[in-house]
Amino acid sequence: MPTEIAFLAIAEAQQIYHWLPAALELARRPDVSVTILSPSPVLLDLVAHYDPTGTLKMEHLRRPFFGADTLFRQPSRLATLLLNAQRLSHFPLLVTTEISSAALRFVPGFRSRLILIKHGAGDREGGYKARHSAFDLTLVAGEKDRRRMIERGLCPPEAVAVGGYAKFELSAPPQRFFSDDRPVLLYNPHFDPRLSSWVRHGPAIMRALETLQGWNVIVAPHTKLAGRVAPIETTAPHIRVDMGSRHSIDMSYTMSADAYLGDVSSQVYEFLLQPRPCLFLNLDRRDWRNDEAFAHWRLGQVLERVEDLPEALTRAPDLQPGFVAAQKAAMHDSIDQCAIPASVRQADLILAFMQGKA
């Protein structure tokens, strides 16, 4: 009998990139059967795009009567889980990147083991919740997350392992999004209303970007922010606004930009796959220097006035050599990279766990 493993695709499309490489790697292993479970034809189509040979089994879950079906809007995860709990319990092992699946622990008769591949590699405290403790094994990108999960009592040391950042294996190549050769600034605000630079300062930021000279700008907010605020609009020819597309989640922009402007999004670590200038907006004047939730702000210039952006961009090339060592060290701590692909490491860890060798 083959080893049966199921991956849950019940979250928005951006999370698929964090588990799909491991699913594809496992499906290529002998005597392993991998099923992708989703109520969404749109999400299953996205998975199939990266699986042209059909190594993965696709299964449509029952869909709640309410909720949209787009890349970035899905029905309630909890409703989906409860509606399909009996089917999910058929699989001895479920792998997911979202913590809503912790609710399955409260379903009578549910005995499947749960593995979480923690998506993202950011610093904000919102990435650590009590529900993380419901999983039998958690795979994280680097030692930073392993250390923090243990310190917060969310995982015992033997239940959290470093598996790398498999999303890098699906990253889009650098692309040209503008017709000229001006450098490109990526502005990537987060969705958390308490921390996002856009929620309270959006109009002022857009005015500064519209008047910016010598740069092209990509405004690509976190897709959750895009779903919560009015569409960002501009007529400035040097600005491209993306409120949610494949480009905004497959690293097209982080691979193609010359400089990064943001607040607390973990995408800064995707951008720093190649060290480049980073700028962070502290428009609410937070006392951030001793707060590990803002550790990434040590990797570039921190601006307290949006009016300082043009001068900061002018200084960025000269200042960047002074940030390279810190950027590399932060990347090493946040995302463990080695010669073995993360998908292979994650697959090995998952199979070892199933065999009781983890």
Side-chain angles (χ1 to χ4, degrees), residues 94-139:
L94 296 174
V95 184
T96 183
T97 51
E98 46 73 40
I99 58 175
S100 302
S101 297
L104 291 169
R105 293 295 191 203
F106 300 97
V107 176
F110 182 81
R111 295 290 183 269
S112 304
R113 290 185 289 180
L114 298 174
I115 291 182
L116 177 73
I117 298 178
K118 195 170 184 290
H119 67 280
D123 298 314
R124 71 186 184 96
E125 195 59 35
Y128 306 95
K129 298 184 182 297
R131 284 176 288 177
H132 280 111
S133 62
F135 294 86
D136 298 288
L137 177 66
T138 297
L139 303 183

Side-chain angles (χ1 to χ4, degrees), residues 179-200:
S179 59
D180 57 55
D181 293 324
R182 286 184 294 186
V184 176
L185 173 67
L186 170 62
Y187 174 47
N188 172 228
H190 198 259
F191 66 85
D192 188 330
R194 298 163 299 175
L195 303 174
S196 174
S197 56
W198 179 264
V199 172
R200 284 185 290 274

Side-chain angles (χ1 to χ4, degrees), residues 336-349:
D336 188 85
Q337 299 181 62
C338 69
I340 303 173
S343 59
V344 174
R345 298 165 66 188
Q346 292 175 355
D348 288 343
L349 287 163

Side-chain angles (χ1 to χ4, degrees), residues 51-269:
D51 182 29
T53 60
T55 58
L56 303 170
K57 297 179 180 179
M58 306 287 191
E59 182 174 327
H60 288 265
L61 295 176
R62 296 170 63 192
R63 185 174 182 81
F65 293 114
F66 49 90
D69 181 19
T70 70
L71 287 175
F72 307 113
R73 292 188 63 195
Q74 289 294 308
S76 161
R77 299 176 195 176
L78 181 59
T80 300
L81 291 166
L82 295 178
L83 191 62
N84 294 279
Q86 184 175 358
R87 176 56 183 156
L88 298 181
S89 65
H90 166 80
F91 295 91
L93 179 67
L94 296 174
V95 184
T96 183
T97 51
E98 46 73 40
I99 58 175
S100 302
S101 297
L104 291 169
R105 293 295 191 203
F106 300 97
V107 176
F110 182 81
R111 295 290 183 269
S112 304
R113 290 185 289 180
L114 298 174
I115 291 182
L116 177 73
I117 298 178
K118 195 170 184 290
H119 67 280
D123 298 314
R124 71 186 184 96
E125 195 59 35
Y128 306 95
K129 298 184 182 297
R131 284 176 288 177
H132 280 111
S133 62
F135 294 86
D136 298 288
L137 177 66
T138 297
L139 303 183
V140 295
E143 288 295 340
K144 176 185 71 180
D145 263 349
R146 184 174 190 276
R147 183 172 64 248
R148 291 183 178 183
M149 295 286 280
I150 294 170
E151 289 173 350
R152 287 158 176 76
L154 299 175
C155 297
E158 66 274 12
V160 56
V162 174
Y165 204 76
K167 181 178 178 179
F168 287 158
E169 298 168 36
L170 297 181
S171 66
Q175 300 162 62
R176 285 176 59 98
F177 290 102
F178 300 92
S179 59
D180 57 55
D181 293 324
R182 286 184 294 186
V184 176
L185 173 67
L186 170 62
Y187 174 47
N188 172 228
H190 198 259
F191 66 85
D192 188 330
R194 298 163 299 175
L195 303 174
S196 174
S197 56
W198 179 264
V199 172
R200 284 185 290 274
H201 305 283
I205 294 170
M206 185 54 75
R207 285 195 298 272
L209 295 176
E210 287 175 334
T211 58
L212 191 62
Q213 300 292 314
W215 286 79
N216 290 315
V217 181
I218 296 171
V219 177
H222 191 290
T223 56
K224 284 188 177 181
L225 175 65
R228 297 175 183 177
V229 299
I232 299 172
E233 298 178 342
T234 182
T235 58
H238 67 285
I239 298 180
R240 172 189 177 98
V241 177
D242 189 337
M243 297 296 287
S245 75
R246 183 86 64 81
H247 289 309
S248 67
I249 57 175
D250 68 1
M251 295 181 57
S252 292
Y253 296 144
T254 54
M255 295 295 288
S256 303
D258 299 285
Y260 178 94
L261 176 67
D263 35 57
V264 297
S265 175
S266 67
Q267 283 192 41
V268 67
Y269 288 106

